Amino acid sequence: MRRSIATALTVATLITGTIAAPAAFAGTTTAQAYSCGFDVLEPYAYAGYYEGMTVVPSSSGVSSSGIEAQCLLKWAGFDPGTIDGVFGTNSRAAAKRFQTMMNNSYDYTLATDGIVGSKTWPALRTYVCYRA
């Protein structure tokens, strides 16, 4: 009887772990493609994944700020590649192109480092808002 209970508990734990684990780690190392929707609340645009303006998108894992920045860059006309939430080489290159354009065309003083941080977020959200 004890062996049956122990076996049942082990099986239940394995099944629960198998079902819960993928959800808990979904997209942390391998990314999926996300869709981009847009909401404009002047003077900013939002894609629906992250509403702030301070979190720097991660280059090592999927993040909501990464998805948001990729969607906004895509809408702005700067192709970040697959919208996967990982702010890798393509996304950073798109962000650099955006920063360069804003500095040259709109007299911004953004660092052209490919990092979407506290100065680039408002510029990106505003640009997309008025481009929409």
Side-chain angles (χ1 to χ4, degrees), residues 34-63:
Y34 292 88
S35 61
C36 298
F38 290 95
D39 189 19
V40 175
L41 300 169
E42 287 190 25
Y44 301 126
Y46 299 89
Y49 293 97
Y50 169 68
E51 294 181 2
M53 293 199 210
T54 57
V55 174
V56 174
S58 173
S59 62
S60 62
V62 176
S63 67

PDB file of all heavy atoms in Angstrom, residues 34-63:
ATOM      1  N   TYR A  34       6.042  36.596 -31.880  1.00  0.00           N
ATOM      2  CA  TYR A  34       4.894  37.273 -31.276  1.00  0.00           C
ATOM      3  C   TYR A  34       4.274  38.208 -32.307  1.00  0.00           C
ATOM      4  O   TYR A  34       4.946  38.699 -33.198  1.00  0.00           O
ATOM      5  CB  TYR A  34       5.330  38.081 -30.046  1.00  0.00           C
ATOM      6  CG  TYR A  34       5.786  37.223 -28.904  1.00  0.00           C
ATOM      7  CD1 TYR A  34       7.107  36.814 -28.804  1.00  0.00           C
ATOM      8  CD2 TYR A  34       4.894  36.815 -27.921  1.00  0.00           C
ATOM      9  CE1 TYR A  34       7.525  36.015 -27.749  1.00  0.00           C
ATOM     10  CE2 TYR A  34       5.313  36.026 -26.866  1.00  0.00           C
ATOM     11  CZ  TYR A  34       6.630  35.626 -26.789  1.00  0.00           C
ATOM     12  OH  TYR A  34       7.042  34.833 -25.749  1.00  0.00           O
ATOM     13  N   SER A  35       2.997  38.461 -32.134  1.00  0.00           N
ATOM     14  CA  SER A  35       2.323  39.415 -33.016  1.00  0.00           C
ATOM     15  C   SER A  35       2.324  40.788 -32.352  1.00  0.00           C
ATOM     16  O   SER A  35       2.402  40.902 -31.138  1.00  0.00           O
ATOM     17  CB  SER A  35       0.893  38.964 -33.304  1.00  0.00           C
ATOM     18  OG  SER A  35       0.158  38.890 -32.107  1.00  0.00           O
ATOM     19  N   CYS A  36       2.245  41.801 -33.177  1.00  0.00           N
ATOM     20  CA  CYS A  36       2.283  43.169 -32.685  1.00  0.00           C
ATOM     21  C   CYS A  36       0.942  43.857 -32.918  1.00  0.00           C
ATOM     22  O   CYS A  36       0.478  43.931 -34.046  1.00  0.00           O
ATOM     23  CB  CYS A  36       3.373  43.964 -33.403  1.00  0.00           C
ATOM     24  SG  CYS A  36       5.031  43.327 -33.136  1.00  0.00           S
ATOM     25  N   GLY A  37       0.365  44.351 -31.859  1.00  0.00           N
ATOM     26  CA  GLY A  37      -0.813  45.204 -31.950  1.00  0.00           C
ATOM     27  C   GLY A  37      -0.395  46.585 -31.470  1.00  0.00           C
ATOM     28  O   GLY A  37       0.629  46.731 -30.818  1.00  0.00           O
ATOM     29  N   PHE A  38      -1.176  47.584 -31.795  1.00  0.00           N
ATOM     30  CA  PHE A  38      -0.788  48.930 -31.387  1.00  0.00           C
ATOM     31  C   PHE A  38      -1.947  49.691 -30.784  1.00  0.00           C
ATOM     32  O   PHE A  38      -3.082  49.566 -31.214  1.00  0.00           O
ATOM     33  CB  PHE A  38      -0.222  49.715 -32.582  1.00  0.00           C
ATOM     34  CG  PHE A  38       1.103  49.188 -33.012  1.00  0.00           C
ATOM     35  CD1 PHE A  38       1.196  48.268 -34.038  1.00  0.00           C
ATOM     36  CD2 PHE A  38       2.253  49.567 -32.359  1.00  0.00           C
ATOM     37  CE1 PHE A  38       2.409  47.747 -34.413  1.00  0.00           C
ATOM     38  CE2 PHE A  38       3.484  49.056 -32.733  1.00  0.00           C
ATOM     39  CZ  PHE A  38       3.557  48.145 -33.757  1.00  0.00           C
ATOM     40  N   ASP A  39      -1.605  50.481 -29.780  1.00  0.00           N
ATOM     41  CA  ASP A  39      -2.560  51.368 -29.138  1.00  0.00           C
ATOM     42  C   ASP A  39      -1.870  52.715 -29.024  1.00  0.00           C
ATOM     43  O   ASP A  39      -0.726  52.793 -28.576  1.00  0.00           O
ATOM     44  CB  ASP A  39      -2.934  50.829 -27.757  1.00  0.00           C
ATOM     45  CG  ASP A  39      -4.081  51.589 -27.128  1.00  0.00           C
ATOM     46  OD1 ASP A  39      -4.818  52.269 -27.865  1.00  0.00           O
ATOM     47  OD2 ASP A  39      -4.247  51.492 -25.901  1.00  0.00           O
ATOM     48  N   VAL A  40      -2.531  53.746 -29.460  1.00  0.00           N
ATOM     49  CA  VAL A  40      -1.950  55.083 -29.409  1.00  0.00           C
ATOM     50  C   VAL A  40      -2.661  55.901 -28.349  1.00  0.00           C
ATOM     51  O   VAL A  40      -3.869  56.082 -28.403  1.00  0.00           O
ATOM     52  CB  VAL A  40      -2.061  55.781 -30.792  1.00  0.00           C
ATOM     53  CG1 VAL A  40      -1.580  57.213 -30.710  1.00  0.00           C
ATOM     54  CG2 VAL A  40      -1.271  55.004 -31.827  1.00  0.00           C
ATOM     55  N   LEU A  41      -1.894  56.338 -27.374  1.00  0.00           N
ATOM     56  CA  LEU A  41      -2.369  57.251 -26.339  1.00  0.00           C
ATOM     57  C   LEU A  41      -1.407  58.426 -26.368  1.00  0.00           C
ATOM     58  O   LEU A  41      -0.352  58.388 -25.756  1.00  0.00           O
ATOM     59  CB  LEU A  41      -2.363  56.574 -24.960  1.00  0.00           C
ATOM     60  CG  LEU A  41      -3.241  55.324 -24.831  1.00  0.00           C
ATOM     61  CD1 LEU A  41      -2.955  54.591 -23.539  1.00  0.00           C
ATOM     62  CD2 LEU A  41      -4.699  55.715 -24.906  1.00  0.00           C
ATOM     63  N   GLU A  42      -1.746  59.437 -27.160  1.00  0.00           N
ATOM     64  CA  GLU A  42      -0.823  60.553 -27.385  1.00  0.00           C
ATOM     65  C   GLU A  42      -0.215  61.040 -26.084  1.00  0.00           C
ATOM     66  O   GLU A  42      -0.907  61.158 -25.085  1.00  0.00           O
ATOM     67  CB  GLU A  42      -1.549  61.693 -28.105  1.00  0.00           C
ATOM     68  CG  GLU A  42      -1.820  61.361 -29.555  1.00  0.00           C
ATOM     69  CD  GLU A  42      -2.309  62.560 -30.351  1.00  0.00           C
ATOM     70  OE1 GLU A  42      -2.013  63.706 -29.969  1.00  0.00           O
ATOM     71  OE2 GLU A  42      -2.993  62.336 -31.342  1.00  0.00           O
ATOM     72  N   PRO A  43       1.073  61.253 -26.080  1.00  0.00           N
ATOM     73  CA  PRO A  43       1.981  61.283 -27.220  1.00  0.00           C
ATOM     74  C   PRO A  43       2.732  59.963 -27.446  1.00  0.00           C
ATOM     75  O   PRO A  43       3.758  59.960 -28.114  1.00  0.00           O
ATOM     76  CB  PRO A  43       2.969  62.378 -26.820  1.00  0.00           C
ATOM     77  CG  PRO A  43       3.109  62.199 -25.344  1.00  0.00           C
ATOM     78  CD  PRO A  43       1.724  61.779 -24.874  1.00  0.00           C
ATOM     79  N   TYR A  44       2.249  58.851 -26.904  1.00  0.00           N
ATOM     80  CA  TYR A  44       2.988  57.595 -27.002  1.00  0.00           C
ATOM     81  C   TYR A  44       2.190  56.490 -27.673  1.00  0.00           C
ATOM     82  O   TYR A  44       0.957  56.484 -27.627  1.00  0.00           O
ATOM     83  CB  TYR A  44       3.403  57.115 -25.606  1.00  0.00           C
ATOM     84  CG  TYR A  44       4.270  58.090 -24.857  1.00  0.00           C
ATOM     85  CD1 TYR A  44       3.915  58.524 -23.590  1.00  0.00           C
ATOM     86  CD2 TYR A  44       5.451  58.570 -25.409  1.00  0.00           C
ATOM     87  CE1 TYR A  44       4.710  59.420 -22.895  1.00  0.00           C
ATOM     88  CE2 TYR A  44       6.247  59.467 -24.723  1.00  0.00           C
ATOM     89  CZ  TYR A  44       5.881  59.888 -23.459  1.00  0.00           C
ATOM     90  OH  TYR A  44       6.670  60.770 -22.785  1.00  0.00           O
ATOM     91  N   ALA A  45       2.910  55.534 -28.247  1.00  0.00           N
ATOM     92  CA  ALA A  45       2.324  54.333 -28.830  1.00  0.00           C
ATOM     93  C   ALA A  45       2.752  53.139 -27.986  1.00  0.00           C
ATOM     94  O   ALA A  45       3.850  53.128 -27.408  1.00  0.00           O
ATOM     95  CB  ALA A  45       2.792  54.154 -30.268  1.00  0.00           C
ATOM     96  N   TYR A  46       1.906  52.145 -27.916  1.00  0.00           N
ATOM     97  CA  TYR A  46       2.156  50.935 -27.135  1.00  0.00           C
ATOM     98  C   TYR A  46       1.794  49.711 -27.968  1.00  0.00           C
ATOM     99  O   TYR A  46       0.827  49.740 -28.719  1.00  0.00           O
ATOM    100  CB  TYR A  46       1.310  50.938 -25.857  1.00  0.00           C
ATOM    101  CG  TYR A  46       1.619  52.103 -24.951  1.00  0.00           C
ATOM    102  CD1 TYR A  46       0.944  53.306 -25.087  1.00  0.00           C
ATOM    103  CD2 TYR A  46       2.607  52.004 -23.991  1.00  0.00           C
ATOM    104  CE1 TYR A  46       1.240  54.387 -24.271  1.00  0.00           C
ATOM    105  CE2 TYR A  46       2.905  53.073 -23.164  1.00  0.00           C
ATOM    106  CZ  TYR A  46       2.226  54.264 -23.316  1.00  0.00           C
ATOM    107  OH  TYR A  46       2.528  55.331 -22.507  1.00  0.00           O
ATOM    108  N   ALA A  47       2.560  48.651 -27.800  1.00  0.00           N
ATOM    109  CA  ALA A  47       2.296  47.401 -28.517  1.00  0.00           C
ATOM    110  C   ALA A  47       1.578  46.387 -27.637  1.00  0.00           C
ATOM    111  O   ALA A  47       1.185  45.337 -28.102  1.00  0.00           O
ATOM    112  CB  ALA A  47       3.594  46.815 -29.050  1.00  0.00           C
ATOM    113  N   GLY A  48       1.426  46.683 -26.361  1.00  0.00           N
ATOM    114  CA  GLY A  48       0.668  45.819 -25.476  1.00  0.00           C
ATOM    115  C   GLY A  48       1.467  44.815 -24.667  1.00  0.00           C
ATOM    116  O   GLY A  48       0.896  43.955 -24.009  1.00  0.00           O
ATOM    117  N   TYR A  49       2.788  44.916 -24.678  1.00  0.00           N
ATOM    118  CA  TYR A  49       3.606  43.965 -23.927  1.00  0.00           C
ATOM    119  C   TYR A  49       4.295  44.596 -22.718  1.00  0.00           C
ATOM    120  O   TYR A  49       4.551  43.932 -21.731  1.00  0.00           O
ATOM    121  CB  TYR A  49       4.662  43.333 -24.843  1.00  0.00           C
ATOM    122  CG  TYR A  49       4.049  42.446 -25.890  1.00  0.00           C
ATOM    123  CD1 TYR A  49       3.806  42.919 -27.176  1.00  0.00           C
ATOM    124  CD2 TYR A  49       3.672  41.150 -25.597  1.00  0.00           C
ATOM    125  CE1 TYR A  49       3.223  42.107 -28.138  1.00  0.00           C
ATOM    126  CE2 TYR A  49       3.094  40.331 -26.547  1.00  0.00           C
ATOM    127  CZ  TYR A  49       2.874  40.818 -27.812  1.00  0.00           C
ATOM    128  OH  TYR A  49       2.281  40.009 -28.753  1.00  0.00           O
ATOM    129  N   TYR A  50       4.625  45.875 -22.820  1.00  0.00           N
ATOM    130  CA  TYR A  50       5.319  46.588 -21.743  1.00  0.00           C
ATOM    131  C   TYR A  50       4.921  48.053 -21.844  1.00  0.00           C
ATOM    132  O   TYR A  50       4.968  48.640 -22.918  1.00  0.00           O
ATOM    133  CB  TYR A  50       6.837  46.414 -21.912  1.00  0.00           C
ATOM    134  CG  TYR A  50       7.675  47.308 -21.028  1.00  0.00           C
ATOM    135  CD1 TYR A  50       7.704  47.133 -19.649  1.00  0.00           C
ATOM    136  CD2 TYR A  50       8.436  48.336 -21.584  1.00  0.00           C
ATOM    137  CE1 TYR A  50       8.483  47.961 -18.853  1.00  0.00           C
ATOM    138  CE2 TYR A  50       9.211  49.160 -20.786  1.00  0.00           C
ATOM    139  CZ  TYR A  50       9.236  48.966 -19.426  1.00  0.00           C
ATOM    140  OH  TYR A  50       9.995  49.787 -18.631  1.00  0.00           O
ATOM    141  N   GLU A  51       4.530  48.651 -20.730  1.00  0.00           N
ATOM    142  CA  GLU A  51       4.053  50.032 -20.745  1.00  0.00           C
ATOM    143  C   GLU A  51       5.057  51.043 -20.221  1.00  0.00           C
ATOM    144  O   GLU A  51       4.828  52.233 -20.318  1.00  0.00           O
ATOM    145  CB  GLU A  51       2.759  50.140 -19.932  1.00  0.00           C
ATOM    146  CG  GLU A  51       1.611  49.376 -20.544  1.00  0.00           C
ATOM    147  CD  GLU A  51       0.325  49.508 -19.738  1.00  0.00           C
ATOM    148  OE1 GLU A  51       0.322  50.232 -18.718  1.00  0.00           O
ATOM    149  OE2 GLU A  51      -0.652  48.878 -20.130  1.00  0.00           O
ATOM    150  N   GLY A  52       6.142  50.581 -19.670  1.00  0.00           N
ATOM    151  CA  GLY A  52       7.099  51.485 -19.054  1.00  0.00           C
ATOM    152  C   GLY A  52       8.079  52.110 -20.023  1.00  0.00           C
ATOM    153  O   GLY A  52       7.958  51.967 -21.246  1.00  0.00           O
ATOM    154  N   MET A  53       9.064  52.791 -19.449  1.00  0.00           N
ATOM    155  CA  MET A  53      10.087  53.447 -20.270  1.00  0.00           C
ATOM    156  C   MET A  53      11.463  53.362 -19.630  1.00  0.00           C
ATOM    157  O   MET A  53      12.325  54.188 -19.908  1.00  0.00           O
ATOM    158  CB  MET A  53       9.712  54.909 -20.497  1.00  0.00           C
ATOM    159  CG  MET A  53       8.479  55.054 -21.343  1.00  0.00           C
ATOM    160  SD  MET A  53       8.378  56.680 -22.044  1.00  0.00           S
ATOM    161  CE  MET A  53       6.623  56.881 -22.165  1.00  0.00           C
ATOM    162  N   THR A  54      11.664  52.362 -18.777  1.00  0.00           N
ATOM    163  CA  THR A  54      12.953  52.277 -18.103  1.00  0.00           C
ATOM    164  C   THR A  54      13.648  50.929 -18.270  1.00  0.00           C
ATOM    165  O   THR A  54      14.869  50.870 -18.222  1.00  0.00           O
ATOM    166  CB  THR A  54      12.804  52.546 -16.591  1.00  0.00           C
ATOM    167  OG1 THR A  54      11.864  51.621 -16.049  1.00  0.00           O
ATOM    168  CG2 THR A  54      12.334  53.971 -16.332  1.00  0.00           C
ATOM    169  N   VAL A  55      12.902  49.850 -18.465  1.00  0.00           N
ATOM    170  CA  VAL A  55      13.508  48.519 -18.534  1.00  0.00           C
ATOM    171  C   VAL A  55      14.199  48.331 -19.881  1.00  0.00           C
ATOM    172  O   VAL A  55      13.601  48.527 -20.936  1.00  0.00           O
ATOM    173  CB  VAL A  55      12.455  47.410 -18.313  1.00  0.00           C
ATOM    174  CG1 VAL A  55      13.057  46.033 -18.519  1.00  0.00           C
ATOM    175  CG2 VAL A  55      11.855  47.525 -16.927  1.00  0.00           C
ATOM    176  N   VAL A  56      15.465  47.960 -19.822  1.00  0.00           N
ATOM    177  CA  VAL A  56      16.245  47.700 -21.029  1.00  0.00           C
ATOM    178  C   VAL A  56      15.960  46.260 -21.468  1.00  0.00           C
ATOM    179  O   VAL A  56      16.095  45.332 -20.677  1.00  0.00           O
ATOM    180  CB  VAL A  56      17.752  47.891 -20.760  1.00  0.00           C
ATOM    181  CG1 VAL A  56      18.583  47.487 -21.965  1.00  0.00           C
ATOM    182  CG2 VAL A  56      18.039  49.325 -20.357  1.00  0.00           C
ATOM    183  N   PRO A  57      15.554  46.060 -22.718  1.00  0.00           N
ATOM    184  CA  PRO A  57      15.287  44.709 -23.207  1.00  0.00           C
ATOM    185  C   PRO A  57      16.516  43.811 -23.092  1.00  0.00           C
ATOM    186  O   PRO A  57      17.648  44.244 -23.325  1.00  0.00           O
ATOM    187  CB  PRO A  57      14.919  44.926 -24.674  1.00  0.00           C
ATOM    188  CG  PRO A  57      14.428  46.334 -24.734  1.00  0.00           C
ATOM    189  CD  PRO A  57      15.259  47.076 -23.741  1.00  0.00           C
ATOM    190  N   SER A  58      16.274  42.559 -22.754  1.00  0.00           N
ATOM    191  CA  SER A  58      17.343  41.589 -22.549  1.00  0.00           C
ATOM    192  C   SER A  58      17.827  40.991 -23.856  1.00  0.00           C
ATOM    193  O   SER A  58      17.030  40.682 -24.738  1.00  0.00           O
ATOM    194  CB  SER A  58      16.832  40.464 -21.640  1.00  0.00           C
ATOM    195  OG  SER A  58      17.786  39.424 -21.553  1.00  0.00           O
ATOM    196  N   SER A  59      19.127  40.786 -23.950  1.00  0.00           N
ATOM    197  CA  SER A  59      19.689  40.111 -25.125  1.00  0.00           C
ATOM    198  C   SER A  59      19.903  38.628 -24.858  1.00  0.00           C
ATOM    199  O   SER A  59      20.288  37.888 -25.749  1.00  0.00           O
ATOM    200  CB  SER A  59      21.017  40.761 -25.524  1.00  0.00           C
ATOM    201  OG  SER A  59      21.955  40.623 -24.476  1.00  0.00           O
ATOM    202  N   SER A  60      19.632  38.193 -23.629  1.00  0.00           N
ATOM    203  CA  SER A  60      19.883  36.797 -23.285  1.00  0.00           C
ATOM    204  C   SER A  60      18.619  35.971 -23.059  1.00  0.00           C
ATOM    205  O   SER A  60      18.711  34.768 -22.846  1.00  0.00           O
ATOM    206  CB  SER A  60      20.763  36.727 -22.031  1.00  0.00           C
ATOM    207  OG  SER A  60      20.105  37.322 -20.938  1.00  0.00           O
ATOM    208  N   GLY A  61      17.467  36.594 -23.078  1.00  0.00           N
ATOM    209  CA  GLY A  61      16.223  35.853 -22.882  1.00  0.00           C
ATOM    210  C   GLY A  61      15.031  36.680 -23.315  1.00  0.00           C
ATOM    211  O   GLY A  61      15.141  37.879 -23.561  1.00  0.00           O
ATOM    212  N   VAL A  62      13.907  36.007 -23.404  1.00  0.00           N
ATOM    213  CA  VAL A  62      12.673  36.673 -23.814  1.00  0.00           C
ATOM    214  C   VAL A  62      12.214  37.606 -22.702  1.00  0.00           C
ATOM    215  O   VAL A  62      12.218  37.238 -21.531  1.00  0.00           O
ATOM    216  CB  VAL A  62      11.563  35.627 -24.105  1.00  0.00           C
ATOM    217  CG1 VAL A  62      10.247  36.309 -24.443  1.00  0.00           C
ATOM    218  CG2 VAL A  62      11.992  34.704 -25.228  1.00  0.00           C
ATOM    219  N   SER A  63      11.828  38.828 -23.081  1.00  0.00           N
ATOM    220  CA  SER A  63      11.290  39.770 -22.107  1.00  0.00           C
ATOM    221  C   SER A  63      10.149  40.544 -22.743  1.00  0.00           C
ATOM    222  O   SER A  63      10.113  40.737 -23.963  1.00  0.00           O
ATOM    223  CB  SER A  63      12.377  40.736 -21.617  1.00  0.00           C
ATOM    224  OG  SER A  63      12.790  41.594 -22.662  1.00  0.00           O
TER     225      SER A  63
END
